[in-house]
Amino acid sequence: MTRNLFIAILLCLLSACQSETHKPANPSKALHALFSRYWEERMHLFPLEATAIGDNRFNDQLPITISDSYRTKIKTFYTKYLDEIKAIHEDLSIEDELNRDIFCYEMQINLDALQFPSHLMPINQFWSFTLEFPQLGSGTGNQPFKNVADYDNFLHRMKQFPAWADTAIVNMRRGISLQITLPKALAVKVIPQLEQVIVKDTKQSLFYGPITHFPADMADSAKQRLALAYQQAIDSCIQPAYTQLAQFFKTEYLPACRNSTGISEIPDGAKYYSFLIQQYTTTHLSADSIYQLGLKEVDSLQNEMEKVKTAVQFKGSLSDFFTYINKDRQFYPFHTAKEVLDSFWSVKHTEEAKLKLLFETEPKTKFEIRQTEAFRAASASAEYNAGSEDGTRPGIFYTPILNPREFNAVGMETLFLHEAIPGHHYQISLQQENTGLPKFRKFLGYSAYAEGWALYTETLGKQLGLYGNPYQYLGHLSDAMHRAIRLVVDAGMHARQMSREEAIAYMLAHERTTEAEATAEIERYMAIPGQALSYKIGQITISRIKATCQQKLGQKFNIRKFHTQVLEGGNMPLDLLEKKLYAWANSR
């Protein structure tokens, strides 16, 4: 052996040894240790998220998440963990491979999001911290008010809010200079929301709500101290900050806002919308393909609605049928908010006997139905607020009831299936209760999976003893149509120059809705481009996967086990869900 050959072999052996030393001795153990470190660091960086899931260690903190320094910090955070997990890729179990794939996806999508200027439009009329913060402070949201420490924690958060408001204004001014602003039609809706938080009497403030509901066992001296401290914080922090924001919107921001509708009208807006499609649908579908899919779905559902109209022997056009349902008083049976809530409880009672036929397990998390708080009801949709992991806070189905006499009963059954049981309550609660999932997966939330599942559960209504009334079935078709229309108008506004007015007209022409409701919906899609696509894309994907599994398995297909497979792994991107479910079908 020549000297050079000997040296070459030695170098190869040394290189192999070094490579082995860099390999984790136990890849699975290293992977889960990384997940644990990530989650702990995440809770420090996202204290409001910690509060939302029942981790109360950081309830006094309020980071300014829209600041440049914070965005730099989380970019470093996501980059670090993406780099670390790339070193762990061999000798993993099937489940850990899925954990790793989901984690990599999560790191990358969050890094990609930081390329776009969401922080320059930090306030809108639908999703905004200025709406979330009063809910936290009112005592009806995720922020706990059970003891003195809880009250002091939120007192600290109130004192930090002015800095958030100042940063929001600085960012929006920068957005004005870069022509990155809200559409005028949305900005004008924000002003009354901000002004509604401002009160003449401090004790009428939403933020004073916890003071009126002290725990019975709290000492009188503590109550007196906290009452005074809350009055001072509201007067010196909350009221001035909301006043400043409202004044800025009225005098400076609104006049500078754009007259256009879609996000594509801001600089690099087309690229931004393509990313938002990926973020919300977890697919790489193009805006045009989504638009064409929407047109096809609208036509199909319109034909189904015609069948219902014929079945109830209504004479007239489908548009006339919609008008009849929207106006005839038989569809407005309620006199009080309690009657509306009781009707939803009745839906729950009806389906309870059938749930076990479709599901192997049910959540342990308790469930409640509540009326949406008055301060946000005007701009709110029915929604689900997840319970806490430890079970101390129930899952809550909120429904806005501005006037019970004007609450239309058509569609209540399909709404409950989606927002409550077995929609969001089953999916989120079972995910949080799954002790086999790493923490980051217990609380992961991709809209396409979550909203896709909830919309899919609406198709289970007849199997759950619902939709016996043809008008309730029409309500189901109406909701399905609503989600199909979203594909058309969202992609239309943000990629095809469809105007706000054209989108409203399209919705009114194809759906059982009022002009006020259509306007609110269209403006929602303007405020959060792409999010509305996730529902129908997710539902179509889950339904398609189920049909394929049924065809593959034939008599071996079990709907209860299929639902377990969809839910047990928790929220994940749609392509990974598809891979998981087909592997399950093949194994059977």
Side-chain angles (χ1 to χ4, degrees):
M1 181 183 294
T2 66
R3 183 173 181 275
N4 287 342
L5 180 59
F6 175 77
I7 292 172
I9 293 172
L10 183 61
L11 288 173
C12 286
L13 290 171
L14 286 171
S15 176
C17 288
Q18 286 178 338
S19 178
E20 286 299 320
T21 60
H22 286 297
K23 276 186 182 181
N26 185 328
S28 179
K29 187 175 180 180
L31 187 72
H32 285 271
L34 182 151
F35 293 155
S36 295
R37 284 189 287 108
Y38 164 80
W39 189 253
E40 184 65 19
E41 191 172 344
R42 183 179 181 88
M43 292 298 94
H44 281 84
L45 283 170
F46 296 88
L48 287 170
E49 181 181 325
T51 299
I53 65 173
D55 182 345
N56 296 318
R57 292 175 296 163
F58 315 105
N59 285 354
D60 62 334
Q61 298 176 26
L62 188 67
I64 305 175
T65 58
I66 55 176
S67 69
D68 289 340
S69 60
Y70 182 86
R71 286 165 64 87
T72 299
K73 186 184 295 185
I74 62 171
K75 181 178 180 180
T76 301
F77 169 67
Y78 289 127
T79 301
K80 177 182 74 171
Y81 280 102
L82 183 58
D83 289 343
E84 284 190 27
I85 201 167
K86 286 179 179 177
I88 307 173
H89 54 82
E90 295 180 0
D91 303 321
L92 295 174
S93 67
I94 293 175
E95 186 57 40
D96 274 342
E97 283 183 3
L98 180 60
N99 285 330
R100 182 187 181 278
D101 288 346
I102 293 172
F103 190 85
C104 286
Y105 184 94
E106 174 71 1
M107 297 306 101
Q108 190 62 60
I109 201 74
N110 280 293
L111 284 170
D112 291 345
L114 291 170
Q115 300 175 40
F116 300 100
S118 60
H119 62 304
L120 302 185
M121 295 180 287
I123 299 174
N124 64 57
Q125 86 294 353
F126 189 76
W127 274 355
S128 175
F129 186 58
T130 50
L131 293 172
E132 179 187 351
F133 198 48
Q135 187 181 15
L136 284 173
S138 68
T140 62
N142 295 328
Q143 185 90 21
F145 291 94
K146 297 179 179 178
N147 52 49
V148 172
D150 286 344
Y151 278 78
D152 281 330
N153 281 336
F154 194 74
L155 189 61
H156 285 296
R157 278 187 167 165
M158 281 196 283
K159 291 177 180 178
Q160 295 167 73
F161 181 73
W164 187 95
D166 288 342
T167 305
I169 290 173
V170 169
N171 284 5
M172 286 186 282
R173 283 185 175 137
R174 197 191 328 169
I176 291 171
S177 70
L178 297 172
Q179 297 184 312
I180 300 172
T181 66
L182 288 179
K184 271 191 170 68
L186 305 190
V188 73
K189 299 293 177 66
V190 172
I191 296 169
Q193 293 177 336
L194 295 170
E195 291 180 331
Q196 192 171 359
V197 179
I198 305 163
V199 294
K200 292 180 179 179
D201 180 359
T202 304
K203 293 182 179 181
Q204 297 303 311
S205 171
L206 291 163
F207 293 89
Y208 197 76
I211 301 299
T212 65
H213 295 90
F214 277 127
D217 59 350
M218 186 179 288
D220 288 341
S221 58
K223 292 178 182 178
Q224 291 170 7
R225 176 182 68 81
L226 289 168
L228 179 60
Y230 268 61
Q231 287 183 58
Q232 291 173 343
I234 292 167
D235 289 340
S236 64
C237 299
I238 301 300
Q239 297 270 77
Y242 273 88
T243 300
Q244 182 185 17
L245 286 168
Q247 188 66 16
F248 170 76
F249 259 82
K250 282 191 289 188
T251 62
E252 190 174 340
Y253 194 65
L254 180 60
C257 283
R258 57 190 168 95
N259 293 310
S260 58
T261 296
I263 198 70
S264 60
E265 298 304 310
I266 71 169
D268 290 326
K271 182 179 178 182
Y272 190 11
Y273 187 54
S274 293
F275 166 74
L276 291 169
I277 291 174
Q278 179 189 355
Q279 182 182 45
Y280 284 118
T281 70
T282 64
T283 72
H284 292 281
L285 292 170
S286 69
D288 188 63
S289 65
I290 289 172
Y291 180 82
Q292 297 300 332
L293 175 62
L295 294 176
K296 181 180 177 181
E297 287 289 313
V298 167
D299 285 345
S300 175
L301 288 162
Q302 193 163 303
N303 290 334
E304 287 299 308
M305 288 179 169
E306 289 283 0
K307 293 177 184 178
V308 175
K309 178 171 71 73
T310 301
V312 298
Q313 300 181 337
F314 182 86
K315 306 301 180 184
S317 67
L318 197 58
S319 178
D320 293 335
F321 192 39
F322 293 160
T323 301
Y324 165 67
I325 295 170
N326 284 340
K327 292 187 175 181
D328 195 283
R329 295 312 301 176
Q330 69 173 299
F331 303 113
Y332 297 88
F334 307 113
H335 297 87
T336 66
K338 183 179 182 301
E339 290 176 356
V340 177
L341 300 179
D342 286 345
S343 186
F344 279 118
W345 281 113
S346 178
V347 175
K348 179 180 183 295
H349 177 73
T350 298
E351 67 174 358
E352 276 178 348
K354 304 281 188 177
L355 283 168
K356 285 184 171 55
L357 299 177
L358 299 184
F359 295 93
E360 292 183 301
T361 56
E362 61 178 303
K364 298 174 184 175
T365 303
K366 293 181 180 179
F367 171 78
E368 292 184 6
I369 303 172
R370 294 184 190 173
Q371 181 179 356
T372 304
E373 304 94 336
F375 78 91
R376 63 188 185 96
S379 61
S381 302
E383 63 183 351
Y384 177 76
N385 194 326
S388 58
E389 181 188 10
D390 63 5
T392 58
R393 189 182 68 240
I396 303 167
F397 166 49
Y398 280 102
T399 183
I401 310 171
L402 296 173
N403 180 353
R405 294 178 182 273
E406 298 303 320
F407 194 101
N408 194 302
V410 174
M412 290 181 74
E413 291 180 354
T414 198
L415 176 63
F416 188 84
L417 290 172
H418 181 111
E419 296 294 344
I421 297 172
H424 289 319
H425 182 64
Y426 265 47
Q427 182 258 306
I428 296 173
S429 298
L430 288 172
Q431 179 173 318
Q432 291 183 174
E433 293 167 12
N434 188 342
T435 57
L437 294 180
K439 279 278 190 180
F440 88 93
R441 284 187 62 189
K442 282 192 174 191
F443 302 103
L444 203 58
Y446 297 117
S447 189
Y449 174 97
E451 297 298 353
W453 165 259
L455 185 55
Y456 163 78
T457 63
E458 293 183 37
T459 68
L460 305 176
K462 288 187 177 181
Q463 293 169 269
L464 290 171
L466 303 173
Y467 302 161
N469 182 315
Y471 290 105
Q472 287 298 330
Y473 181 60
L474 182 75
H476 162 58
L477 294 176
S478 295
D479 274 11
M481 173 68 85
H482 184 60
R483 277 48 176 262
I485 287 171
R486 285 174 168 178
L487 303 184
V488 177
V489 297
D490 197 290
M493 289 190 295
H494 297 297
R496 299 172 68 96
Q497 285 73 53
M498 178 185 282
S499 70
R500 167 183 173 274
E501 291 71 27
E502 288 170 335
I504 292 170
Y506 184 87
M507 182 169 278
L508 287 170
H510 293 88
E511 184 177 353
R512 183 187 64 82
T513 189
T514 66
E515 185 171 357
E517 291 169 341
T519 299
E521 283 294 316
I522 295 302
E523 290 176 349
R524 166 186 168 174
Y525 315 149
M526 290 167 65
I528 44 172
Q531 193 273 339
L533 306 175
S534 58
Y535 299 72
K536 197 65 178 172
I537 298 298
Q539 177 260 309
I540 288 173
T541 301
I542 294 172
S543 296
R544 173 176 54 78
I545 294 170
K546 181 171 81 170
T548 302
C549 290
Q550 285 176 314
Q551 184 178 21
K552 181 184 289 287
L553 293 174
Q555 294 297 318
K556 291 183 179 179
F557 180 81
N558 183 306
I559 188 63
R560 298 173 77 235
K561 294 189 181 301
F562 174 79
H563 288 156
T564 295
Q565 288 298 315
V566 175
L567 293 173
E568 72 172 359
N571 199 314
M572 66 184 73
L574 293 179
D575 61 338
L576 294 178
L577 176 67
E578 188 166 0
K579 180 181 177 182
K580 176 183 184 295
L581 293 174
Y582 287 159
W584 166 77
N586 289 332
S587 72
R588 294 181 64 79

